[in-house]
Amino acid sequence: MPTFATIPCEIMISVLRELGNVRFLLPSLLTCRHVYSCFKENPGVAAEILQRQIPPDIIPYSVAVLEASYLSPRNETSVHELLETLYTQPSKFTERLRTIPVPLLTRMGHIHGVIHDLTTDFASSAWTCLHKDQGSEAAESLVLSPSEYLRFCRAFYRVELYFCLFRCRTSLTSIPFHEHRFFSNQPPWEKEQLASALDFLELKLSRASRDVVAHDVEFGELKIDYITTGMNNYMRQLWLSQGVDFIHRLMSESSYDGKKALLKSAFAADRVDLYEALMTPPETDLNDDVPLSSYTNEDLAALFPPTESQDTDEGPLAGWRVAFNPWPRSAWVMLAHLSALRERAYVFWDLDRIEIYRMRALFNDAPANSELQRAYHDLDEMRESFEERSRIWQKGGSGYWSKNDESRIVWPTQQDGN
């Protein structure tokens, strides 16, 4: 009678290829010696599984993020070479898949799963905002086109790549943020995609950390700001710098103590300020006061020559033009008052979708502030909480504080069991 161990290797490998996620591969290999033997004869199946999980145009970014995480030596030359390969010969990264060990492929699959979750979350929340806007004609449900999905994913991968490359800047201090090769192949509407993804990550971080940062006595003693946005909030930048997996773990953590432990684990970590990098214009742009409205699309194509792999759909460009037409080149990315547009993912949608739902009008009428910006109304309350929590800390108290409620404060006598 035929047994599992007698299944021909060709069939077994065909079965393994159907795994929907590379993280299922290792458990599968442990089920039977025959399965493992078949895999040893066909190790390339691991890369094939990952390629079914991650879109082809995203694979080079996935490999680049992995290599950036382990880059050694980490210096100007190695960083430049990695980015040069990604931007001019991305197929080389795809070719390297078959040499990557299974545990690292599993890590790549995990990061893509995180980015997929963030992509669907951001797209859904942005579409909900558009649907709720006054006069919105957007449909209630959203199905992303392949090109829209790729834009969202690529933006999060670019954020992650920046953090992986520059979080440890000991040997890279001579590289000015705004002059680095990292941004050189990205037209301003793609930088706005990156800025929008960064805003969304900050929003998710703000929501996930709020209960701890706004109520914990120790965090109040440290005066950790839970309201100020962008580069003016040191601790937010530190936590954002830890990358998408850190933020996703914080979002997924259900317990107060777990969230606090995760936030504190980054206190001694390295940081880099991507907001500052995005908001610092190239020197060549500083003396150009010609507004965007004076540029034709052909002018922009001459300024930002398209690459072979560049997105050709004009939806992102159309959305960006609505927002930046009055502004000169030095202000073509990350303007603070456009946060509500970034919240609506205005530079991610296909042109067909923009035209069908008349989204240019929606972009023109977007609210003045995003959810992050609206939190500024609570600044006085935050400062008062610092004073109250510091008073408790100085007396030896710790734990969870709420305004006019100290019932959850732990005092030294309670800790000692007296």
Side-chain angles (χ1 to χ4, degrees):
M1 176 181 291
T3 65
F4 190 73
T6 62
I7 295 176
C9 271
E10 294 81 2
I11 295 177
M12 186 62 69
I13 293 302
S14 295
V15 171
L16 291 178
R17 284 195 184 101
E18 295 303 314
L19 292 174
N21 191 308
V22 72
R23 69 185 173 90
F24 300 138
L25 179 60
L26 282 175
S28 299
L29 299 182
L30 295 174
T31 59
C32 171
R33 183 176 297 175
H34 179 58
V35 177
Y36 181 71
S37 297
C38 292
F39 170 75
K40 291 292 286 184
E41 292 182 23
N42 301 270
V45 71
E48 293 176 28
I49 296 169
L50 188 71
Q51 286 176 295
R52 294 170 69 93
Q53 182 183 353
I54 304 178
D57 288 339
I58 294 298
I59 287 284
Y61 282 93
S62 179
V63 178
V65 164
L66 178 72
E67 294 197 2
S69 302
Y70 297 98
L71 194 62
S72 181
R74 185 179 297 272
N75 53 37
E76 296 182 31
T77 299
S78 63
V79 170
H80 180 84
E81 288 177 353
L82 185 149
L83 292 172
E84 190 70 20
T85 302
L86 177 63
Y87 293 158
T88 64
Q89 297 177 296
S91 60
K92 284 192 172 183
F93 280 124
T94 303
E95 293 167 5
R96 293 177 193 174
L97 273 183
R98 293 186 176 275
T99 65
I100 297 176
V102 172
L104 294 183
L105 291 175
T106 302
R107 174 65 182 167
M108 292 167 64
H110 169 74
I111 292 298
H112 184 73
V114 167
I115 287 177
H116 170 80
D117 288 348
L118 292 169
T119 285
T120 54
D121 192 355
F122 184 17
S124 177
S125 64
W127 196 247
T128 298
C129 286
L130 288 167
H131 180 72
K132 289 180 178 178
D133 286 343
Q134 185 176 4
S136 172
E137 298 183 20
E140 290 189 32
S141 60
L142 170 68
V143 177
L144 290 174
S145 73
S147 57
E148 289 170 335
Y149 178 77
L150 188 147
R151 284 182 209 116
F152 279 98
C153 282
R154 184 183 58 191
F156 284 115
Y157 268 106
R158 283 176 170 172
V159 170
E160 180 70 3
L161 180 59
Y162 189 90
F163 288 147
C164 288
L165 285 174
F166 304 118
R167 184 166 51 228
C168 304
R169 293 184 54 83
T170 306
S171 58
L172 300 172
T173 52
S174 63
I175 304 178
F177 283 138
H178 58 277
E179 292 181 358
H180 200 277
R181 177 80 170 97
F182 186 86
F183 297 107
S184 63
N185 81 321
Q186 299 173 30
W189 49 95
E190 289 189 8
K191 290 182 184 178
E192 271 289 279
Q193 291 171 1
L194 198 155
S196 301
L198 185 60
D199 274 0
F200 180 74
L201 288 174
E202 183 176 358
L203 176 61
K204 303 305 284 189
L205 172 65
S206 172
R207 288 176 179 172
S209 63
R210 179 67 177 251
D211 196 37
V212 174
V213 183
H215 295 280
D216 188 76
V217 170
E218 182 181 1
F219 280 51
E221 165 66 10
L222 295 172
K223 292 182 171 53
I224 295 180
D225 188 339
Y226 56 86
I227 288 179
T228 307
T229 62
M231 63 184 182
N232 295 318
N233 190 322
Y234 179 92
M235 290 304 300
R236 282 254 187 100
Q237 295 311 306
L238 174 68
W239 288 322
L240 283 170
S241 297
Q242 306 318 302
V244 295
D245 191 37
F246 177 90
I247 296 168
H248 193 261
R249 282 188 289 143
L250 186 67
M251 292 163 55
S252 304
E253 177 58 58
S254 58
S255 75
Y256 178 88
D257 289 339
K259 286 180 183 292
K260 181 178 177 180
L262 186 57
L263 291 168
K264 289 187 70 173
S265 72
F267 278 5
D270 295 304
R271 68 182 286 276
V272 65
D273 196 331
L274 180 51
Y275 275 98
E276 181 181 356
L278 286 165
M279 295 183 72
T280 305
E283 295 293 334
T284 54
D285 294 354
L286 293 178
N287 296 320
D288 186 346
D289 59 358
V290 179
L292 174 60
S293 57
S294 297
Y295 289 82
T296 65
N297 284 0
E298 290 72 21
D299 294 332
L300 292 173
L303 278 176
F304 311 106
T307 62
E308 288 185 14
S309 59
Q310 189 161 305
D311 185 5
T312 57
D313 188 281
E314 293 189 359
L317 171 60
W320 175 73
R321 269 198 175 279
V322 170
F324 286 89
N325 258 335
W327 299 93
R329 286 181 64 183
S330 59
W332 279 358
V333 179
M334 202 71 176
L335 292 180
H337 73 278
L338 298 179
S339 62
L341 281 179
R342 291 193 292 274
E343 187 177 45
R344 285 154 175 75
Y346 79 112
V347 283
F348 288 87
W349 309 114
D350 287 344
L351 184 61
D352 284 349
R353 188 186 298 274
I354 288 175
E355 292 180 341
I356 289 171
Y357 295 111
R358 304 177 185 177
M359 291 168 70
R360 287 184 179 87
L362 297 182
F363 296 156
N364 271 321
D365 296 333
N369 292 315
S370 63
E371 180 180 335
L372 276 173
Q373 296 292 330
R374 291 194 293 273
Y376 275 87
H377 297 306
D378 301 327
L379 276 172
D380 289 340
E381 184 177 295
M382 180 178 72
R383 296 187 185 104
E384 290 173 8
S385 83
F386 288 161
E387 294 178 6
E388 287 298 309
R389 287 184 281 168
S390 179
R391 174 185 59 80
I392 294 169
W393 180 263
Q394 297 303 323
K395 291 181 179 180
S398 61
Y400 192 97
W401 167 90
S402 292
K403 189 173 183 178
N404 300 321
D405 180 8
E406 297 185 8
S407 62
R408 296 170 66 180
I409 300 298
V410 179
W411 297 100
T413 53
Q414 295 173 267
Q415 293 175 327
D416 296 338
N418 297 326

